[in-house]
Amino acid sequence: MKIEQVKIDKLIPYVRNSRTHSDAQVAQIAASIKEFGFTNPVLIDETGSIIAGHGRVMAARKLAITDIPSIRLTHLTEAQKKAYIIADNKLALNAGWDDEMLAVELTDLKDMGFDLDLTGFSTDEIAALLDGANKVGSEPKGKLSDRFMIPPFSVLNAREGWWQDRKQAWLDLGIKSELGRGGTASTSARVGNNEEATYSPIGGKRQAQRQAAAPGPRETTATSSAATAQGGR
């Protein structure tokens, strides 16, 4: 597409343009053009009617600029022109911001001595963003007692609270916490129709004793014999 210089008096604003521009916003655009140059050409049709860039033309008048960089779009239908006038503005509004990254960029610009007002953000917005950036990493991550339910490096009171509830849950499952202390206990339990398994806590080893099935009922036993517990070592 070819950029041409068009006299500002030849440009025709779209009378049904639904996008508004306040005096303050036009002043911002003018300041941007003064700082960076006229970097975004105005889009016009074959008759010089403005399709996109009404705010830039208003700012150019404020700066007494007479020649406007323009791109002439001759391939659009009337319906496409109407739709693009709306879409050109609305699509930009649909974008978002990464506030953390934005704060990093604004901080860099501030350190470079650049006028942050030229970014288009208000003084209050800039202050809020920079204040948020200064707080990153300064807030505590939360108490360890909140994250792990108990204070770190503390002595548990096993007679109260949730520890007793946990112990009761063990008992409900048939687990006896006192067994195995000192490494002298073993527990026998039926694991099938024709066999029993003996478990020993000593050394973390497990022993299995298979016994032939015999007529009549069989019993599940628990013994406390050191000899039995250590027999498979």
Side-chain angles (χ1 to χ4, degrees):
M1 293 183 179
K2 180 182 177 181
I3 297 177
E4 56 181 291
Q5 299 293 326
V6 179
K7 294 295 183 181
I8 195 168
D9 292 336
K10 297 293 184 180
L11 299 178
I12 307 170
Y14 181 51
V15 294
R16 296 173 65 178
N17 182 32
S18 55
R19 188 67 169 156
T20 61
H21 299 277
S22 67
D23 291 340
Q25 199 244 349
V26 171
Q28 285 182 319
I29 298 174
S32 178
I33 292 174
K34 188 175 181 179
E35 176 71 23
F36 307 115
F38 211 121
T39 60
N40 192 2
V42 173
L43 304 182
I44 59 177
D45 67 7
E46 61 275 4
T47 66
S49 295
I50 300 173
I51 297 174
H54 288 83
R56 295 191 290 280
V57 173
M58 295 170 69
R61 291 187 184 279
K62 191 177 183 70
L63 295 171
I65 297 175
T66 57
D67 295 312
I68 307 300
S70 305
I71 295 177
R72 202 177 295 272
L73 304 179
T74 59
H75 65 288
L76 299 179
T77 66
E78 288 302 315
Q80 287 177 325
K81 291 177 188 178
K82 287 177 177 288
Y84 190 79
I85 289 171
I86 297 172
D88 181 62
N89 291 291
K90 178 56 179 172
L91 292 177
L93 295 177
N94 290 344
W97 291 99
D98 182 330
D99 288 345
E100 290 185 7
M101 189 61 67
L102 177 59
V104 170
E105 289 293 278
L106 290 175
T107 300
D108 283 351
L109 287 172
K110 182 181 179 182
D111 292 342
M112 294 175 183
F114 194 82
D115 183 2
L116 296 185
D117 289 339
L118 291 170
T119 63
F121 286 93
S122 69
T123 302
D124 290 343
E125 289 172 328
I126 293 171
L129 286 164
L130 295 181
D131 184 57
N134 292 333
K135 290 181 179 179
V136 172
S138 62
E139 296 181 356
K141 301 298 183 181
K143 297 179 180 178
L144 288 176
S145 58
D146 293 336
R147 296 170 60 190
F148 299 103
M149 299 174 59
I150 57 173
F153 314 114
S154 63
V155 178
L156 286 173
N157 186 346
R159 298 181 182 277
E160 296 180 358
W162 66 274
W163 189 261
Q164 283 295 312
D165 294 337
R166 185 173 180 181
K167 181 177 180 180
Q168 184 59 49
W170 290 345
L171 295 176
D172 291 343
L173 293 173
I175 301 173
K176 297 181 180 181
S177 61
E178 65 273 10
L179 292 181
R181 292 178 182 173
T184 60
S186 65
T187 300
S188 296
R190 185 180 302 281
V191 295
N193 291 332
N194 301 320
E195 60 185 37
E196 280 188 356
T198 300
Y199 300 92
S200 171
I202 296 179
K205 295 182 179 180
R206 184 178 71 178
Q207 307 163 51
Q209 297 177 343
R210 299 180 181 273
Q211 299 178 357
R218 295 175 59 86
E219 295 181 352
T220 299
T221 62
T223 65
S224 224
S225 168
T228 301
Q230 299 179 9
R233 296 189 69 182

